[in-house]
Amino acid sequence: MAPISRAPGRLESYDYTYAYEFASPAFCMTKPVLKPQWQSLYYPLSTLVWLSALAAVLLMPPAFFLVGHIDGQSMGGNMGVVTIVYGTLLNQSMNQLHPKSNSSRLLLGAWLLFTFILGTAYRGNLTAALTLPKYPPRPETLQELVKAVGRVTMPPYGAQFRDFYKQSDSEVFRALAESMEIVPSVQEGLRQASGKLTEHTNNQTEPEANPTLKLPTNQKGTPTKYLELARTSPTTQAHIQARRYLELVVAEEFTEADGSTRLYFGRESVFPGLSAWPIPHDAPYKQQLDRCIMAIKEAGLYEKWSEDLMEEARKEGRERQKRILQENRKQEGEADIEKAPEPSGNSPKALTIVHLQGPLMLAALGLGVASVTFLGEVAAARWL
């Protein structure tokens, strides 16, 4: 006999002991994959800051020209003023400019101060945006889950939950029941959710996201940002089971050698639930069991045992993946086997093409424009 969740439909068959933990069903899915995005150059500043900087860049050349015209001193001509404004914004030198009037000097000093602050803020935020990229949104609540995925799996006992959801007055639970399917075990459900499908599931067509559920909107009637989850989320399947047991299975069988995993747990549970031991109705030993369970719970032993078990499971999972990695390297003929690094949240990571797609595209565009301009100047010098 094993502890189970205190679902309302089960109260007709048997009674429960003292509830020793909140065993709410949680969903587990694959983490969103970071896709190459050229917008990485845009992320460091907000839209309002970009528009304000654009307005300042457009207004400064006429301002320089007007101040120089009023003072009767040239500021380098129309093209010279434009070159000065854009050059200083890009950290270029300004040796050709020598303002003599106080008004010109004040305007130039204000512009240089603006370019220094804007450039420093952009470079600092750009480094953070490249090293800590913006990942696609992922479902965290039940409403987002049924909107983003088309298939939800549960172990065999999930048939009772599916019947319970179908009878619910909530549109979200009814939509969840329609997309729910039963799998033989939690391992099979997590394999499918992580993308490691079996031969049977590989032959099936990929499910589509649920288009019938309407998520809530704000006061103006504008859909919330989570309405985009169906188009941005790379996963179309999730697995539901008790959170603590899911964490244990993920730590044992779905943890990489460096301690990372492809799966994540939703922030919100499917519904609140308590876990207890099932016993017959009017059992004479219920009070004794409740007293023992309550003593263990209040002493903190249950949480301590759970933490020790999870730590041991993570350790065994990492060691198992290391052994598999070593065996694979031996089979490939590698003599020296490097030890897999321990998980660390502060370990440096190399920037890849995913992070630097925007700067590389901008550099390629600049080289292309410069090449076309150079060829045009050569042709003009030869034929004109």
Side-chain angles (χ1 to χ4, degrees), residues 108-224:
L108 180 61
W111 174 248
L112 292 178
L113 181 62
F114 169 79
T115 57
F116 172 76
I117 296 176
L118 182 65
T120 303
Y122 178 76
R123 286 190 295 270
N125 291 343
L126 179 62
T127 303
L130 292 178
T131 55
L132 300 174
K134 182 179 180 181
Y135 284 86
R138 63 187 189 184
E140 294 287 356
T141 64
L142 182 59
Q143 288 182 333
E144 300 165 12
L145 175 69
V146 297
K147 183 65 179 180
V149 305
R151 187 169 183 262
V152 178
T153 59
M154 281 196 74
Y157 71 83
Q160 300 178 6
F161 287 88
R162 181 170 56 185
D163 297 337
F164 173 68
Y165 297 151
K166 288 181 179 180
Q167 300 173 2
S168 175
D169 297 333
S170 173
E171 182 182 0
V172 177
F173 282 110
R174 292 197 303 269
L176 177 63
E178 293 177 359
S179 60
M180 188 177 296
E181 296 184 12
I182 304 301
V183 293
S185 62
V186 59
Q187 289 80 5
E188 178 64 22
L190 291 177
R191 276 195 295 268
Q192 296 181 18
S194 62
K196 301 178 180 179
L197 304 181
T198 59
E199 295 180 358
H200 173 70
T201 55
N202 280 332
N203 296 330
Q204 297 178 354
T205 58
E206 184 178 359
E208 298 179 354
N210 189 345
T212 60
L213 182 64
K214 296 181 180 179
L215 294 181
T217 57
N218 56 20
Q219 296 179 355
K220 297 182 179 180
T222 305
T224 60

